[in-house]
Amino acid sequence: TFSGFSLDAEPEGKQIITAGQEKKLNIYSLSNGKAVRTFKLEDVGDIIKVELDSSASYVATASSDRY
């Protein structure tokens, strides 16, 4: 189950990236549902939006204020 705030799929539809209040970006394989990679972000508030660029090379995030 998805408990994050935001998710986006890469253009080929093989992976998704999720983000949420745990301050992590998680990349999942859609073929098996397993995490491929996790990035722990420091010095940010809750991540409220995540979006991949059209090449799936870059990810942008928006977060709430930490304080």
Side-chain angles (χ1 to χ4, degrees):
T1 18
F2 174 63
S3 63
F5 291 142
S6 182
L7 66 88
D8 197 11
E10 54 99 6
E12 293 180 12
K14 295 179 182 177
Q15 296 178 333
I16 61 168
I17 187 165
T18 66
Q21 68 187 89
E22 73 278 356
K23 299 179 181 136
K24 293 179 184 174
L25 297 177
N26 299 297
I27 301 173
Y28 293 97
S29 167
L30 289 178
S31 65
N32 63 17
K34 294 186 179 186
V36 175
R37 189 153 185 199
T38 298
F39 298 91
K40 174 76 171 147
L41 303 179
E42 303 290 333
D43 297 323
V44 298
D46 295 342
I47 303 166
I48 54 176
K49 177 72 176 162
V50 62
E51 191 165 327
L52 290 163
D53 76 320
S54 59
S55 69
S57 298
Y58 300 96
V59 63
T61 62
S63 61
S64 64
D65 252 349
R66 192 176 108 178
Y67 302 101

